Amino acid sequence: MPRTKTISIVGAGLVGSLMSIYLAKRGYKVTIFEKRNDMRKMGAEGGRSINLALSNRGWAPLKEIGIDNEVKSMIIPMRGRMMHDEEGFLTFQPYGREGQAINSISRGGLNELLMNTAEKEGVEIKFEQTCLGINFDESLLFLDDNGSRKEVKSDVIIGGDGAFSVVRRLMQRTDRFNYSQHFIEHGYKELTIPPGAGGSFGLEKHALHIWPRGQYMLIALPNKEGSFTCTLFFPFDGDPSFSSLKTDEDIQQFFEKVFPDTIRLMPTLLKDYHSNPTSSLVTIKCFPWVKNKTVLLGDASHAIVPFYGQGMNSGFEDCRVLNQMLEEHNDDWDKVLPLFQESRKPDADAISDLALQNFIEMRDLVADEDFLLRKKIEAKLHDQYPKQWIPLYSMVTFNENMRYSEALHRGNMQKEIMDKVMSQPDIHKNWEKLDLNPLVEELNTKINS
Ligand SMILES: Cc1cc2nc3c(=O)[nH]c(=O)nc-3n(C[C@H](O)[C@H](O)[C@H](O)COP(=O)(O)OP(=O)(O)OC[C@H]3O[C@@H](n4cnc5c(N)ncnc54)[C@H](O)[C@@H]3O)c2cc1C
């Protein structure tokens, strides 16, 4: 397809905006249609600070498009998990080797940077234009443009319109389109720890804070101005749950009992609890992602629960992979689109499953003695055999050149070996004397068989 062809992207979210930059750099004429108004004029997130964990898979594309230096000035590196127990005692678990960190970044700030960069590259972003329909045979987009209906013809249409994608819903009406959605029993609510005096941080700045409590948890990520955005992941029903905490007294007593060290840090707890929404968490899987010249990217094709901090990162990786394929196949979209969905789907499924598993790890296991010992042994294995044995978290988070599906596969093999190690009697006493070499050899044999 000659480079002067036109591409329409539905959604100026994180993924749609990033993909538009890649495509504008390749020479396409790109227009984004976004249903909301321009967050740069209206202020993102209604004045609330909402942050995300950006890790290596998200960095790689930001570097490729040349905005990594700007992004660096927006992040706070988080070098590990800081666990808060019910007495308020703290334990720090590093995420990886020295220097490795995930990065807290403002969702609105990153989205604005991506939109500004897109416009500098010549992308046109049209706000308050909602996608209503698509004629897939003709690549025709039907839009609501401030109350009037409009048609736009393009060579390629990209659905970057998020978890409740209209583009995907329209594909669902076509033949042999598979779709599933699954809501977990937990929802989430954002709460705030405001900055201390002079913009100081009320908790350790370079950590992702977790209050693991078995069936639920609270987490907190730092913001540049000294505040923390906290998220309570909590069941919708049962006791305790969003439905059991009704009055100010219920909420106050619950936090005093279960998250005691947060009380002095959250002066607006009751106000935030009542005014911030309780939102649900969904996993969405579908296939195919491509219909003629329309393709889904990011949450539109694979919305996942947030417990691995990989939703945006995996969406950014979609953009990087699609761009690489266009490069390798001389922008032959007829070749690239089927290849893209075939190759990317197993990776999206892998991170979707890993994200669900990690909820159990975060809310429960991070405070479990066996789990902590397992982590220590794996860290030792990784120290001595850095190329052969890489903890699953590191493969997913810090290894942007390993596919998610491979990380999941290797992680499962490592888990089988570690399950045997952990079942040894007296392992808690003898772990330092363990002979690690046979474990690595067993792993190599499994990988090569
Ligand atoms: C609580 C929570 C915490 C998270 N934490 C992390 C994290 O730490 N790290 C991480 O990597 N990911 C995280 N995620 C996931 C991340 O937010 C998503 O994966 C990411 O936002 C997906 O980007 P997207 O561009 O595909 O979709 P979105 O960000 O949802 O953008 C979609 C855009 O499309 C627009 N749109 C929708 N419908 C239409 C239409 N009909 N016409 C025109 N425009 C339309 C929307 O207005 C929006 O601007 C988290 C998610 C949640 C819920």
Side-chain angles (χ1 to χ4, degrees):
M1 188 182 281
R3 294 286 173 85
T4 50
K5 295 281 167 143
T6 53
I7 299 194
S8 292
I9 299 182
V10 182
L14 295 162
V15 173
S17 301
L18 174 63
M19 194 66 226
S20 76
I21 301 167
Y22 270 120
L23 294 171
K25 280 183 182 290
R26 301 191 72 74
Y28 292 99
K29 183 173 178 338
V30 187
T31 310
I32 308 184
F33 300 95
E34 166 58 49
K35 78 172 175 190
R36 290 191 284 212
N37 43 35
D38 189 345
M39 64 166 74
R40 294 167 297 182
K41 291 184 188 141
M42 312 304 288
E45 296 139 5
R48 281 198 287 151
S49 299
I50 298 182
N51 47 30
L52 296 159
L54 171 70
S55 51
N56 288 31
R57 290 173 199 268
W59 264 117
L62 296 174
K63 200 167 176 193
E64 279 181 358
I65 61 162
I67 60 168
D68 50 321
N69 280 334
E70 275 152 292
V71 175
K72 257 182 211 149
S73 68
M74 296 165 64
I75 57 156
I76 298 183
M78 299 178 289
R79 302 195 180 101
R81 296 161 163 163
M82 185 71 84
M83 247 83 65
H84 297 240
D85 75 11
E86 285 186 56
E87 269 77 53
F89 289 114
L90 305 182
T91 324
F92 183 73
Q93 288 172 10
Y95 275 129
R97 317 186 78 196
E98 213 169 302
Q100 284 180 322
I102 59 174
N103 305 287
S104 179
I105 188 162
S106 150
R107 170 196 280 273
L110 180 57
N111 209 151
E112 288 184 10
L113 173 64
L114 288 168
M115 288 196 286
N116 289 338
T117 310
E119 285 176 340
K120 275 190 211 143
E121 294 288 339
V123 174
E124 194 179 355
I125 310 179
K126 294 179 183 256
F127 294 95
E128 295 180 66
Q129 306 220 354
T130 305
C131 168
L132 301 173
I134 296 177
N135 176 334
F136 293 109
D137 292 335
E138 306 286 331
S139 288
L140 257 186
L141 203 52
F142 303 106
L143 296 153
D144 174 3
D145 177 2
N146 271 311
S148 56
R149 205 175 151 95
K150 170 166 115 177
E151 279 182 26
V152 175
K153 174 128 179 95
S154 333
D155 296 295
V156 173
I157 298 172
I158 293 177
D161 50 344
F164 299 99
S165 165
V166 167
V167 179
R168 185 189 65 235
R169 208 180 320 140
L170 295 162
M171 281 190 187
Q172 273 172 253
R173 294 188 199 151
T174 64
D175 193 29
R176 295 199 298 142
F177 186 88
N178 292 309
Y179 172 75
S180 72
Q181 69 177 37
H182 178 255
F183 287 92
I184 61 168
E185 287 166 9
H186 294 70
Y188 71 95
K189 186 182 279 294
E190 269 137 8
L191 302 166
T192 308
I193 295 178
S200 60
F201 287 80
L203 295 169
E204 164 57 45
K205 175 182 175 185
H206 291 292
L208 189 153
H209 294 263
I210 311 183
W211 289 257
R213 296 294 181 265
Q215 285 308 303
Y216 54 90
M217 67 176 179
L218 179 73
I219 67 166
L221 274 72
N223 297 309
K224 275 279 182 184
E225 79 280 7
S227 66
F228 285 80
T229 305
C230 307
T231 312
L232 174 64
F233 294 99
F234 207 34
F236 278 103
D237 299 307
D239 192 14
S241 70
F242 283 119
S243 51
S244 77
L245 299 190
K246 292 196 178 77
T247 64
D248 283 1
E249 215 185 353
D250 294 340
I251 299 161
Q252 185 78 26
Q253 278 180 4
F254 176 75
F255 271 75
E256 273 169 13
K257 183 170 162 224
V258 178
F259 306 122
D261 55 339
T262 62
I263 291 292
R264 71 179 171 86
L265 298 165
M266 288 185 175
T268 54
L269 169 65
L270 296 175
K271 183 179 144 283
D272 293 344
Y273 194 94
H274 292 301
S275 56
N276 293 346
T278 304
S279 308
S280 51
L281 293 163
V282 70
T283 299
I284 289 175
K285 291 185 176 176
C286 67
F287 201 77
W289 296 353
V290 174
K291 180 78 190 166
N292 299 355
K293 288 277 175 50
T294 298
V295 57
L296 301 171
L297 286 189
D299 275 18
S301 48
H302 49 83
I304 62 177
V305 291
F307 305 113
Y308 231 115
Q310 287 294 316
M312 166 191 67
N313 286 289
S314 64
F316 281 6
E317 196 174 69
D318 285 352
C319 301
R320 181 176 175 221
V321 170
L322 182 56
N323 183 59
Q324 266 165 7
M325 288 184 169
L326 287 168
E327 184 66 29
E328 277 160 29
H329 298 281
N330 204 20
D331 291 74
D332 181 346
W333 288 83
D334 289 329
K335 222 185 230 169
V336 165
L337 290 181
L339 273 178
F340 172 72
Q341 63 172 357
E342 289 298 334
S343 115
R344 198 68 191 135
K345 171 72 173 155
D347 294 323
D349 285 347
I351 190 56
S352 176
D353 296 347
L354 284 164
L356 279 165
Q357 284 170 25
N358 213 44
F359 187 25
I360 299 169
E361 175 166 330
M362 281 179 91
R363 70 179 200 218
D364 207 353
L365 298 179
V366 282
D368 175 279
E369 266 190 33
D370 271 5
F371 172 81
L372 295 176
L373 178 58
R374 197 181 268 258
K375 288 266 154 185
K376 264 192 212 158
I377 298 172
E378 284 208 76
K380 203 170 160 196
L381 274 160
H382 185 43
D383 268 351
Q384 290 185 21
Y385 302 91
K387 292 218 167 87
Q388 285 110 310
W389 192 293
I390 310 171
L392 176 59
Y393 187 86
S394 299
M395 290 190 277
V396 171
T397 308
F398 300 124
N399 203 334
E400 66 275 22
N401 294 320
M402 182 184 288
R403 294 177 58 166
Y404 284 124
S405 50
E406 192 189 340
L408 175 62
H409 179 59
R410 292 180 77 108
N412 284 341
M413 289 186 293
Q414 291 177 177
K415 181 176 178 303
E416 275 175 26
I417 296 169
M418 284 305 297
D419 283 348
K420 276 196 272 170
V421 169
M422 293 305 295
S423 69
Q424 290 176 20
D426 295 333
I427 184 69
H428 281 267
K429 258 196 245 153
N430 300 333
W431 71 274
E432 279 177 293
K433 290 181 227 138
L434 257 182
D435 185 1
L436 301 181
N437 195 42
L439 306 183
V440 174
E441 275 176 10
E442 190 181 342
L443 181 63
N444 285 342
T445 313
K446 278 175 183 275
I447 289 169
N448 295 326
S449 66

